[in-house]
Amino acid sequence: MNTSVSRKTKVCLRPSPWDILVAALVLALAAALALFFLSRAAGSTEGDLVCTVSQNGRILEEITLTAGSPDQEKRYGDYVVEINHGHIRIKSAPCVGQDCVHTGWIHRSGQSVVCLPGRFVVTLSSPAPADPPFDIVVK
Ligand SMILES: [Zn+2]
């Protein structure tokens, strides 16, 4: 009784020229994507940012932060916002928990400091309105 499996079926493990071409294409695409996102990321940290200061949903001020922006402190009622080398923070606040003060410095688009008790928000955003706050949309 012969139960041995036929050994004639050989799996070809050597890549064909097509496989190499596809692999090269995938690698090139990955490199292009990586460069795209890296350059975008670099742009969002070093480019101009818009700092929006708002309270109760009302915009108090919009400050454009550039590389040459002067360091300054701005007072909004009981809140003091400090700007230093493109970084921004709530320096002092009247709230009890001081969570917003403890949040510390923000410097990237999309970051924000929120004081819930006072409904006081400092948000950093990219000045380009077409720039979505997400990288990839999966449908
Ligand atoms: Zn607070």
Side-chain angles (χ1 to χ4, degrees), residues 34-57:
L35 276 176
F36 174 72
F37 283 116
L38 278 177
S39 63
R40 252 176 52 125
S44 69
T45 51
E46 288 166 18
D48 293 357
L49 287 172
V50 175
C51 171
T52 306
V53 181
S54 58
Q55 190 166 25
N56 294 315

Side-chain angles (χ1 to χ4, degrees), residues 79 93 95 98-101 114-117:
Y79 289 89
C95 61
Q98 298 283 296
D99 286 337
C100 52
V101 176
V114 181
C115 182
L116 281 177

Side-chain angles (χ1 to χ4, degrees), residues 5 10 12 19 26 29 34-35 43-44 47 51 62 67 71 77 83 86 94 97 101 104 106 113 115 119 136:
V5 178
K10 278 168 90 179
C12 179
D19 291 335
V26 168
L29 199 68
L35 276 176
S44 69
C51 171
E62 282 185 332
D71 298 346
I83 300 167
V101 176
I106 56 172
V113 187
C115 182
R119 302 192 65 188
I136 295 167

